[in-house]
Amino acid sequence: MDNKLVPVRKTNAVLDVHRRLIDRFDPTAQVRFFDPADFPWAAELEREWQVIRGDLDVALSRRDEVPEFSAISSRQKEIADSRWQTLVFHFFGRRVNANCERFPRTSEILSRVPDLTTAMFSILSEGAHIPPHFGPYKGILRYHLGLKVPSGARLRVDDQVRSWQEGKSLLFDDTFEHEAWNHGPGDRVVLFVDVVRPLPRGLDLFNRAFFQAAKHSPDVREVQMKASRAGRLRSGRS
């Protein structure tokens, strides 16, 4: 594992209250990795993984047109360098039409995932390292479907380390400290999906209202706008 600085969780009064409510009332609040078998849509994505992989191969054939994550999201510049690229289909509830239209098979498969908020191809070049950090929002769960997985790729969430497998699922809570690295050989690519976290009813209503407010934030609008622009350029539209 790479040498690293100790990460600091960025404070935000509203997010802190939201996280404390989930910590108190959600019995799964301290779970790091979830069992994908508890989420039927995960098995459906696994059944379709080769279709999704086919679209990924098309995207990678024009690799230089896939934007760096830090180029479409200013918030990612602290942890993302040129070796982390993303092709975004949805971001925090906002659809990137150009990419969904370019890859209709993957887009249709994603439409079957209940409460999907974010979806993208997440591409780590050989030698890439996403340093330790904390996700800010405990109202979602993060899902990865392995699409291209070299032997030297790993994911750590808190004190638990897992490896991806092609066609298989990992589901975790990204508000715990986590990092990823790819020692190769070759790229590591996953279908990266966020879904609304299942919660007790009262807390679920609060979480969904909170999400709707966050959906209209400048950070979310920035990603949708820049990912859409990159998608239009890739498809030859201005």
Side-chain angles (χ1 to χ4, degrees):
M1 189 181 305
D2 304 63
N3 293 329
K4 59 184 185 296
L5 298 175
V6 176
V8 176
R9 188 189 297 277
K10 294 183 178 179
T11 59
N12 176 300
V14 177
L15 286 172
D16 287 348
V17 169
H18 181 272
R19 187 168 52 249
R20 286 198 295 269
L21 285 171
I22 292 178
D23 285 342
R24 180 173 180 182
F25 295 109
D26 179 12
T28 71
Q30 298 307 309
V31 175
R32 275 65 170 169
F33 282 96
F34 289 74
D35 186 349
D38 293 333
F39 298 81
W41 51 264
E44 188 164 359
L45 289 179
E46 289 183 356
R47 286 193 293 271
E48 300 281 12
W49 87 272
Q50 290 180 314
V51 174
I52 301 168
R53 169 63 188 265
D55 279 349
L56 169 68
D57 289 342
V58 172
L60 291 178
S61 72
R62 298 171 65 176
R63 174 70 172 272
D64 60 329
E65 298 176 2
V66 179
E68 299 167 13
F69 200 10
S70 59
I72 62 171
S73 175
S74 299
R75 290 178 61 90
Q76 305 303 322
K77 289 182 178 179
E78 293 183 7
I79 62 170
D81 63 19
S82 61
R83 292 172 293 183
W84 187 6
Q85 295 169 274
T86 54
L87 191 151
V88 180
F89 297 99
H90 300 263
F91 191 79
F92 228 78
R94 290 183 171 270
R95 188 175 190 266
V96 178
N97 290 325
N99 289 335
C100 290
E101 291 167 7
R102 178 169 169 75
F103 300 103
R105 297 182 304 173
T106 292
S107 180
E108 189 281 324
I109 293 166
L110 291 170
S111 73
R112 305 177 209 163
V113 179
D115 292 326
L116 178 147
T117 68
T118 294
M120 66 182 81
F121 290 147
S122 174
I123 305 162
L124 285 185
S125 300
E126 182 174 345
H129 174 227
I130 301 173
H133 61 287
F134 299 93
Y137 178 49
K138 205 171 178 72
I140 58 96
L141 296 179
R142 179 147 300 160
Y143 170 85
H144 287 175
L145 175 67
L147 297 176
K148 289 189 70 176
V149 182
S151 59
R154 299 286 187 275
L155 170 68
R156 178 183 67 83
V157 179
D158 196 23
D159 60 350
Q160 300 179 30
V161 178
R162 301 285 176 89
S163 299
W164 296 275
Q165 298 179 58
E166 292 184 0
K168 298 299 181 182
S169 304
L170 290 177
L171 187 66
F172 60 98
D173 182 341
D174 83 318
T175 62
F176 293 99
E177 182 188 294
H178 61 289
E179 66 180 318
W181 59 100
N182 177 21
H183 296 308
D187 296 327
R188 184 242 59 180
V189 188
V190 299
L191 178 67
F192 170 126
V193 171
D194 287 346
V195 296
V196 176
R197 186 185 191 114
L199 292 167
R201 178 168 174 75
L203 192 54
D204 178 61
L205 292 173
F206 170 74
N207 184 47
R208 290 174 186 274
F210 185 95
F211 173 82
Q212 287 301 317
K215 179 179 176 180
H216 299 287
S217 71
D219 291 334
V220 174
R221 289 178 181 272
E222 176 198 20
V223 174
Q224 183 195 30
M225 179 187 69
K226 291 182 177 179
S228 296
R229 183 184 302 152
R232 288 194 298 271
L233 290 173
R234 190 166 48 251
S235 62
R237 292 179 291 172
S238 60

